[in-house]
Amino acid sequence: MRNVTKMLQMLFVVILATFVFATQGMAQTTLLTESFDGGTGQTPPTGWSTELVSGGNYTYFFASGTYPSVTPYDGTGLVEFNSWDANTGVTNRLKRTTALSTVGYTNVAIDFAWYEDNIYTNNDRVEVQWSTDGSTWNTEATFARYNSVTGWKIKNVALPSGAQGQATL
C-alpha cells in the first residue's frame, strides 16, 4: 500500500455488523442491525448511501475485502474503502438514508466490527459521526486501521446527550 495519508470518514455506522443500542433504565434496545449483505460494487444496500466529502467514491460493498484479504465478520457482505487506489485526502461518508429516532432513550451507543492489521502504517481510519439534520456532522470517535494485532475488533462508541431524545438521528 502506498504510504500516503488517506482519510476514511463514515457516518454513524460503519464496516459490517453495525448495531445501534439505546437503553432506558436497565433494558437494552437494539434500534438497528446491519451486515451490509445487500450491497454490490458501489451500490450500498437499501437504507444506506455514500457521500463524497472530498475526492471520488472509493467505498465498495463486497463479499470479501482486499488489501488485506478478509472475509466478512458477520453475514455475507462487508464495506470496503479502497484506500489503495484513493489519493491523499479522499473522504467518503457512509450514512443511513432514513433517520433513527432516539426519543425516549438514554445512553445511545454504536457498536461495530472494524478490521485492523499490522501491515499498513499509513493514516487509514474511520470516524464515527452523528447528525440530527443530515448536514452538520459531529465526530464522536476515530479508529485507526493499524494495530499490532490483526483481525476484526468490536468498537464501542457512546454518543453524547445531544444524540439522545432526537426524532431524527
Side-chain angles (χ1 to χ4, degrees):
M1 176 162 227
R2 295 181 278 166
N3 286 324
V4 293
T5 302
K6 295 174 184 93
M7 184 184 332
L8 168 62
Q9 290 184 344
M10 298 268 184
L11 153 78
F12 181 61
V13 281
V14 196
I15 305 294
L16 195 62
T18 304
F19 312 97
V20 178
F21 295 105
T23 61
Q24 188 172 24
M26 297 303 287
Q28 179 174 293
T29 303
T30 301
L31 301 177
L32 174 69
T33 300
E34 178 65 65
S35 291
F36 297 103
D37 293 343
T40 56
Q42 288 187 316
T43 303
T46 302
W48 297 88
S49 69
T50 55
E51 179 179 332
L52 307 180
V53 178
S54 65
N57 186 359
Y58 288 88
T59 302
Y60 296 89
F61 302 87
F62 293 133
S64 64
T66 55
Y67 303 111
S69 177
V70 61
T71 58
Y73 175 82
D74 180 32
T76 59
L78 55 74
V79 179
E80 176 178 281
F81 180 78
N82 183 7
S83 62
W84 180 268
D85 291 328
N87 292 322
T88 300
V90 170
T91 304
N92 293 174
R93 180 178 288 125
L94 175 64
K95 62 183 183 178
R96 289 283 304 161
T97 55
T98 305
L100 295 171
S101 173
T102 59
V103 172
Y105 296 103
T106 58
N107 302 318
V108 177
I110 299 168
D111 296 338
F112 65 95
W114 170 243
Y115 191 83
E116 298 172 341
D117 66 47
N118 60 4
I119 299 170
Y120 304 113
T121 60
N122 58 338
N123 204 18
D124 290 352
R125 64 185 181 269
V126 64
E127 294 183 358
V128 176
Q129 299 181 320
W130 62 276
S131 175
T132 57
D133 63 8
S135 298
T136 303
W137 296 97
N138 304 283
T139 299
E140 200 56 39
T142 302
F143 298 97
R145 180 174 140 192
Y146 180 81
N147 188 318
S148 61
V149 179
T150 296
W152 287 104
K153 309 291 189 310
I154 301 298
K155 302 299 181 178
N156 311 97
V157 180
L159 295 182
S161 60
Q164 299 173 26
Q166 297 294 329
T168 57
L169 181 67

